[in-house]
Amino acid sequence: METKKTLILEADAQGFSAAGEIIRRGGLVVFPTETVYGLGANALDAGACAKIFQAKGRPQDNPLIVHTAEVFGLARLASVTPRAAAIIKAFMPGPLSLVLPKNQDIPAAVTAGLPTVGLRVPSDPAAYRFLKAAGVPVAAPSANVSGKPSPTSFAMARAAMEGRADAIIRGGDSRIGLESTIVRITESGLEILRPGGVSEEDLRAVAKDCLVRGLASPLPGEAPPAPGMKYAHYKPRAEVLLFPTGTWNPKMIGCAGKTGVLTLGEKAAPLSGHVLVREMKSVEEYARRLYAEFFVFDSLGCDRILAECPPEEGLGRAVANRLLKASGGRFF
Ligand code: AMP
Ligand code: MG
């Protein structure tokens, strides 16, 4: 791939204005959001969106989520049914993407030929200022090379996208740290295609009378409901091995190579230069720090990461989902 000169833009009026200009000219801008950093292009420009797939090495059949600054921008891009309107009202702006029947303005390059489009309105103030400055809807997947963990800080975004994007906005750390919850609406109710920043419990509390189906899995022989499901995801360089919550045993560390350990709550661990232990006080902290800790462990040359798989409730479901993908489902 050809290497680009990447501008670093400050998160100020001048920086956002320059970023908006780059988007309108068909370029790629990395921008912060509350979930993870995104790699954005003008969603109405098929040529600009094609560059996203090239920069990430993303499979062509994996659609992009379209971002707008404000909720009222959504109705121009998709058919908003009354049920969709209720979800939008409850969770947007915020860490939720809603899959809806797309309007004709959205090029096939964005949706990988699907008749539906994933839509999101971030709540992060810097994302808002960037999207306002762009003045067009912005198609953006996470700003990582395909298959790798998503960046949740400026340093991670820069390490992933310098030379690939036209500009990177120097934002802060992502407040949530995991990707959005993807929801689609079917005749029988709501279906979660990817667990994320909004939990199944949050959705049930709002959907009430309507059925909420947990993470949908493709039936044998069926196309996955979210094309991204079939690909490897979130994998650091180090090998990831999981252990079920509450089953910590320091003997798991063994003596082979340098090991990073992620635990939920305090654990007695051996003091050794070959073992780096990071204790997460809550699942929220686990979500926020997961990819950043992967990045640090990789930077420090860890061979292996041992990670506690949290209970499958609330935000724990999203953390467990990313850990299962990162490890290829391998438990100690
Ligand atoms: P990323 O932006 O990298 O977090 O990936 C976006 C995810 O959204 C991918 O896993 C896609 O499969 C999913 N997605 C985007 N648009 C749609 C859609 N129209 N229908 C189903 N899934 C979608
Ligand atoms: Mg991604």
Side-chain angles (χ1 to χ4, degrees):
M1 201 194 70
E2 158 207 6
T3 305
K4 289 185 175 185
K5 167 99 184 76
T6 303
L7 281 173
I8 302 300
L9 299 173
E10 300 306 320
D12 57 18
Q14 202 183 342
F16 289 122
S17 158
E21 181 74 36
I22 293 170
I23 291 290
R24 288 190 301 279
R25 283 203 324 260
L28 301 183
V29 176
V30 175
F31 64 101
T33 84
E34 73 278 20
T35 56
V36 303
Y37 274 66
L39 174 65
N42 180 354
L44 307 178
D45 177 344
C49 292
K51 293 182 198 166
I52 292 179
F53 290 86
Q54 220 182 358
K56 279 186 60 111
R58 184 174 177 99
Q60 294 290 337
D61 66 349
N62 196 359
L64 309 174
I65 290 171
V66 176
H67 298 68
T68 64
E70 279 140 345
V71 165
F72 63 75
L74 299 177
R76 292 211 333 260
L77 305 173
S79 316
V80 179
T81 58
R83 190 165 269 174
I87 295 300
I88 291 170
K89 185 158 178 259
F91 299 108
M92 293 184 173
L96 178 130
S97 300
L98 193 55
V99 173
L100 295 174
K102 81 175 190 80
N103 287 355
Q104 61 201 24
D105 290 359
I106 309 277
V110 168
T111 63
L114 292 175
T116 53
V117 61
L119 296 175
R120 187 162 107 79
V121 183
S123 62
D124 180 79
Y128 172 81
R129 291 181 72 189
F130 161 68
L131 292 165
K132 278 299 257 190
V136 290
V138 170
S142 47
N144 50 281
V145 170
S146 229
K148 295 282 164 198
S150 307
T152 54
S153 68
F154 169 71
M156 290 165 76
R158 186 173 192 172
M161 284 296 142
E162 189 144 45
R164 294 172 186 261
D166 295 293
I168 304 174
I169 298 172
R170 193 195 303 274
D173 295 350
S174 302
R175 187 173 58 79
I176 291 173
L178 291 182
E179 298 79 359
S180 61
T181 303
I182 304 180
V183 173
R184 89 172 159 189
I185 300 176
T186 64
E187 272 169 30
S188 56
L190 303 181
E191 218 171 38
I192 298 172
L193 302 183
R194 175 176 73 186
V198 169
S199 71
E200 197 175 312
E201 290 84 346
D202 296 337
L203 277 165
R204 278 188 212 286
V206 166
K208 289 199 182 87
D209 55 324
C210 118
L211 184 79
V212 178
R213 238 185 91 198
L215 183 61
S217 308
L219 299 168
E222 195 188 65
M229 279 178 173
K230 63 177 183 272
Y231 295 109
H233 269 310
Y234 325 117
K235 279 184 186 289
R237 194 192 45 73
E239 171 193 37
V240 181
L241 271 178
L242 309 183
F243 60 94
T245 197
T247 65
W248 168 249
N249 176 350
K251 290 204 181 95
M252 286 192 282
I253 290 170
C255 52
K258 195 165 187 173
T259 303
V261 184
L262 296 174
T263 70
L264 191 54
E266 281 181 35
K267 303 275 158 39
L271 285 174
S272 140
H274 283 281
V275 184
L276 303 153
V277 181
R278 305 279 195 268
E279 294 166 335
M280 310 295 155
K281 288 189 197 67
S282 61
V283 282
E284 285 72 25
E285 183 178 349
Y286 208 160
R288 193 171 65 246
R289 290 175 52 188
L290 178 66
Y291 295 143
E293 296 300 350
F294 279 177
F295 183 73
V296 171
F297 289 153
D298 272 355
S299 315
L300 296 174
C302 286
D303 306 290
R304 209 167 58 135
I305 298 170
L306 269 176
E308 180 162 356
C309 198
E312 298 241 359
E313 58 192 35
L315 195 56
R317 276 200 199 86
V319 176
N321 170 266
R322 304 312 188 267
L323 285 172
L324 284 165
K325 293 244 173 190
S327 63
R330 288 188 316 135
F331 278 80
F332 187 84

